[in-house]
Tab-separated table of all heavy atoms in Angstrom:
chain	number	residue	atom	x	y	z
U	353	LEU	N	14.116	26.009	5.190
U	353	LEU	CA	13.797	27.319	4.633
U	353	LEU	C	13.181	27.192	3.243
U	353	LEU	O	12.244	27.916	2.896
U	353	LEU	CB	15.068	28.184	4.575
U	353	LEU	CG	15.611	28.685	5.907
U	353	LEU	CD1	16.961	29.351	5.704
U	353	LEU	CD2	14.635	29.661	6.551
U	354	ARG	N	13.708	26.281	2.445
U	354	ARG	CA	13.144	26.064	1.116
U	354	ARG	C	11.689	25.600	1.204
U	354	ARG	O	10.812	26.080	0.472
U	354	ARG	CB	13.972	25.027	0.373
U	354	ARG	CG	13.482	24.732	-1.047
U	354	ARG	CD	13.928	23.371	-1.515
U	354	ARG	NE	13.360	22.311	-0.676
U	354	ARG	CZ	13.646	21.038	-0.827
U	354	ARG	NH1	14.510	20.653	-1.748
U	354	ARG	NH2	13.089	20.125	-0.026
U	355	ASP	N	11.433	24.664	2.123
U	355	ASP	CA	10.064	24.155	2.270
U	355	ASP	C	9.121	25.250	2.759
U	355	ASP	O	7.959	25.320	2.328
U	355	ASP	CB	10.051	22.968	3.227
U	355	ASP	CG	10.791	21.761	2.670
U	355	ASP	OD1	10.967	21.706	1.433
U	355	ASP	OD2	11.209	20.899	3.462
U	356	ARG	N	9.617	26.110	3.658
U	356	ARG	CA	8.779	27.213	4.139
U	356	ARG	C	8.467	28.189	3.010
U	356	ARG	O	7.347	28.700	2.903
U	356	ARG	CB	9.471	27.937	5.293
U	356	ARG	CG	9.495	27.156	6.589
U	356	ARG	CD	10.260	27.903	7.669
U	356	ARG	NE	10.291	27.158	8.910
U	356	ARG	CZ	9.372	27.248	9.871
U	356	ARG	NH1	8.356	28.077	9.704
U	356	ARG	NH2	9.469	26.540	10.986
U	357	LEU	N	9.464	28.453	2.179
U	357	LEU	CA	9.243	29.368	1.063
U	357	LEU	C	8.245	28.777	0.072
U	357	LEU	O	7.366	29.480	-0.435
U	357	LEU	CB	10.574	29.666	0.359
U	357	LEU	CG	10.536	30.686	-0.785
U	357	LEU	CD1	10.053	32.034	-0.281
U	357	LEU	CD2	11.890	30.815	-1.446
U	358	LYS	N	8.355	27.478	-0.205
U	358	LYS	CA	7.410	26.846	-1.114
U	358	LYS	C	5.999	26.850	-0.539
U	358	LYS	O	5.020	27.094	-1.253
U	358	LYS	CB	7.853	25.410	-1.415
U	358	LYS	CG	9.039	25.314	-2.364
U	358	LYS	CD	9.321	23.861	-2.732
U	358	LYS	CE	10.430	23.782	-3.771
U	358	LYS	NZ	10.715	22.367	-4.161
U	359	LYS	N	5.893	26.577	0.755
U	359	LYS	CA	4.574	26.571	1.379
U	359	LYS	C	3.963	27.966	1.373
U	359	LYS	O	2.759	28.130	1.182
U	359	LYS	CB	4.687	26.044	2.813
U	359	LYS	CG	3.347	25.864	3.498
U	359	LYS	CD	3.512	25.246	4.874
U	359	LYS	CE	2.153	25.048	5.542
U	359	LYS	NZ	2.287	24.435	6.888
U	360	GLN	N	4.804	28.971	1.592
U	360	GLN	CA	4.314	30.341	1.587
U	360	GLN	C	3.878	30.768	0.198
U	360	GLN	O	3.031	31.649	0.045
U	360	GLN	CB	5.410	31.283	2.113
U	360	GLN	CG	4.949	32.710	2.313
U	360	GLN	CD	5.990	33.541	3.038
U	360	GLN	OE1	5.980	33.666	4.233
U	360	GLN	NE2	6.922	34.104	2.286
U	361	SER	N	4.455	30.163	-0.837
U	361	SER	CA	4.107	30.522	-2.213
U	361	SER	C	2.824	29.846	-2.693
U	361	SER	O	2.415	30.080	-3.831
U	361	SER	CB	5.260	30.157	-3.160
U	361	SER	OG	6.420	30.904	-2.851
U	362	GLU	N	2.230	29.027	-1.853
U	362	GLU	CA	0.970	28.401	-2.238
U	362	GLU	C	-0.192	29.353	-1.959
U	362	GLU	O	-0.248	29.994	-0.918
U	362	GLU	CB	0.772	27.099	-1.468
U	362	GLU	CG	1.826	26.035	-1.755
U	362	GLU	CD	1.645	24.808	-0.897
U	362	GLU	OE1	0.738	24.833	-0.035
U	362	GLU	OE2	2.400	23.841	-1.078
U	363	LEU	N	-1.086	29.433	-2.912
U	363	LEU	CA	-2.269	30.275	-2.717
U	363	LEU	C	-3.201	29.637	-1.691
U	363	LEU	O	-3.293	28.407	-1.596
U	363	LEU	CB	-3.008	30.454	-4.041
U	363	LEU	CG	-2.363	31.386	-5.068
U	363	LEU	CD1	-3.136	31.328	-6.374
U	363	LEU	CD2	-2.322	32.815	-4.550
U	364	PRO	N	-3.911	30.444	-0.908
U	364	PRO	CA	-4.876	29.878	0.042
U	364	PRO	C	-6.035	29.224	-0.701
U	364	PRO	O	-6.284	29.536	-1.874
U	364	PRO	CB	-5.334	31.113	0.839
U	364	PRO	CG	-5.087	32.270	-0.071
U	364	PRO	CD	-3.861	31.913	-0.848
U	365	PRO	N	-6.748	28.321	-0.064
U	365	PRO	CA	-7.893	27.664	-0.722
U	365	PRO	C	-8.930	28.699	-1.166
U	365	PRO	O	-9.286	29.614	-0.423
U	365	PRO	CB	-8.445	26.745	0.371
U	365	PRO	CG	-7.302	26.526	1.314
U	365	PRO	CD	-6.507	27.786	1.301
U	366	LEU	N	-9.425	28.534	-2.382
U	366	LEU	CA	-10.419	29.435	-2.946
U	366	LEU	C	-11.768	28.726	-3.053
U	366	LEU	O	-11.820	27.494	-3.064
U	366	LEU	CB	-9.965	29.914	-4.332
U	366	LEU	CG	-8.634	30.657	-4.404
U	366	LEU	CD1	-8.329	31.042	-5.845
U	366	LEU	CD2	-8.630	31.879	-3.518
U	367	PRO	N	-12.858	29.478	-3.140
U	367	PRO	CA	-14.174	28.844	-3.320
U	367	PRO	C	-14.219	28.024	-4.605
U	367	PRO	O	-13.390	28.186	-5.509
U	367	PRO	CB	-15.129	30.044	-3.371
U	367	PRO	CG	-14.403	31.156	-2.694
U	367	PRO	CD	-12.952	30.936	-2.986
U	368	LYS	N	-15.204	27.154	-4.681
U	368	LYS	CA	-15.296	26.239	-5.815
U	368	LYS	C	-15.554	26.962	-7.136
U	368	LYS	O	-15.289	26.402	-8.205
U	368	LYS	CB	-16.395	25.204	-5.570
U	368	LYS	CG	-17.777	25.801	-5.407
U	368	LYS	CD	-18.818	24.714	-5.152
U	368	LYS	CE	-20.219	25.305	-5.015
U	368	LYS	NZ	-21.237	24.254	-4.775
U	369	ASP	N	-16.084	28.189	-7.059
U	369	ASP	CA	-16.332	28.925	-8.299
U	369	ASP	C	-15.147	29.800	-8.693
U	369	ASP	O	-15.295	30.740	-9.476
U	369	ASP	CB	-17.603	29.779	-8.178
U	369	ASP	CG	-17.547	30.711	-6.975
U	369	ASP	OD1	-16.717	30.464	-6.069
U	369	ASP	OD2	-18.330	31.676	-6.936
U	370	TRP	N	-13.957	29.498	-8.136
U	370	TRP	CA	-12.713	30.183	-8.514
U	370	TRP	C	-11.645	29.134	-8.782
U	370	TRP	O	-11.647	28.052	-8.195
U	370	TRP	CB	-12.240	31.136	-7.409
U	370	TRP	CG	-13.057	32.388	-7.300
U	370	TRP	CD1	-14.189	32.576	-6.558
U	370	TRP	CD2	-12.807	33.624	-7.966
U	370	TRP	NE1	-14.667	33.847	-6.717
U	370	TRP	CE2	-13.840	34.531	-7.570
U	370	TRP	CE3	-11.834	34.073	-8.852
U	370	TRP	CZ2	-13.911	35.831	-8.044
U	370	TRP	CZ3	-11.896	35.373	-9.314
U	370	TRP	CH2	-12.926	36.242	-8.922
U	371	GLY	N	-10.701	29.488	-9.655
U	371	GLY	CA	-9.569	28.620	-9.937
U	371	GLY	C	-8.269	29.397	-9.869
U	371	GLY	O	-8.241	30.608	-10.099
U	372	ALA	N	-7.183	28.710	-9.547
U	372	ALA	CA	-5.879	29.366	-9.442
U	372	ALA	C	-4.779	28.363	-9.733
U	372	ALA	O	-4.924	27.159	-9.480
U	372	ALA	CB	-5.682	29.976	-8.057
U	373	LYS	N	-3.673	28.861	-10.256
U	373	LYS	CA	-2.520	28.030	-10.574
U	373	LYS	C	-1.251	28.864	-10.398
U	373	LYS	O	-1.179	30.003	-10.862
U	373	LYS	CB	-2.604	27.517	-12.018
U	373	LYS	CG	-1.487	26.575	-12.406
U	373	LYS	CD	-1.603	25.231	-11.705
U	373	LYS	CE	-0.567	24.233	-12.202
U	373	LYS	NZ	-0.685	22.934	-11.525
U	374	VAL	N	-0.281	28.300	-9.693
U	374	VAL	CA	1.004	28.956	-9.473
U	374	VAL	C	2.106	28.069	-10.032
U	374	VAL	O	2.170	26.876	-9.717
U	374	VAL	CB	1.266	29.225	-7.977
U	374	VAL	CG1	2.634	29.880	-7.775
U	374	VAL	CG2	0.167	30.106	-7.393
U	375	VAL	N	2.986	28.647	-10.857
U	375	VAL	CA	4.119	27.921	-11.429
U	375	VAL	C	5.385	28.723	-11.141
U	375	VAL	O	5.505	29.880	-11.544
U	375	VAL	CB	3.971	27.716	-12.946
U	375	VAL	CG1	5.168	26.951	-13.486
U	375	VAL	CG2	2.685	26.974	-13.268
U	376	LEU	N	6.321	28.118	-10.414
U	376	LEU	CA	7.618	28.731	-10.116
U	376	LEU	C	8.713	27.861	-10.720
U	376	LEU	O	8.761	26.653	-10.477
U	376	LEU	CB	7.833	28.864	-8.609
U	376	LEU	CG	6.874	29.779	-7.837
U	376	LEU	CD1	7.152	29.706	-6.348
U	376	LEU	CD2	7.007	31.220	-8.329
U	377	LYS	N	9.588	28.482	-11.493
U	377	LYS	CA	10.690	27.761	-12.128
U	377	LYS	C	11.973	28.546	-11.879
U	377	LYS	O	12.125	29.675	-12.340
U	377	LYS	CB	10.444	27.607	-13.630
U	377	LYS	CG	11.531	26.830	-14.357
U	377	LYS	CD	11.229	26.720	-15.845
U	377	LYS	CE	12.322	25.960	-16.580
U	377	LYS	NZ	12.062	25.886	-18.035
U	378	GLN	N	12.889	27.932	-11.123
U	378	GLN	CA	14.124	28.615	-10.754
U	378	GLN	C	15.228	28.330	-11.774
U	378	GLN	O	15.251	27.269	-12.399
U	378	GLN	CB	14.589	28.176	-9.354
U	378	GLN	CG	13.480	28.157	-8.309
U	378	GLN	CD	12.841	29.499	-8.072
U	378	GLN	OE1	13.240	30.510	-8.643
U	378	GLN	NE2	11.812	29.539	-7.238
U	379	ALA	N	16.122	29.271	-11.911
U	379	ALA	CA	17.217	29.147	-12.870
U	379	ALA	C	18.122	27.977	-12.497
U	379	ALA	O	18.467	27.790	-11.333
U	379	ALA	CB	18.019	30.443	-12.926
Side-chain angles (χ1 to χ4, degrees):
L353 289 172
R354 181 203 63 184
D355 293 340
R356 288 177 180 271
L357 184 60
K358 285 186 175 181
K359 186 176 181 180
Q360 187 171 267
S361 297
E362 297 176 356
L363 286 174
L366 301 179
K368 61 181 181 180
D369 55 342
W370 286 88
K373 184 70 174 180
V374 179
V375 180
L376 296 175
K377 182 180 179 182
Q378 314 299 357

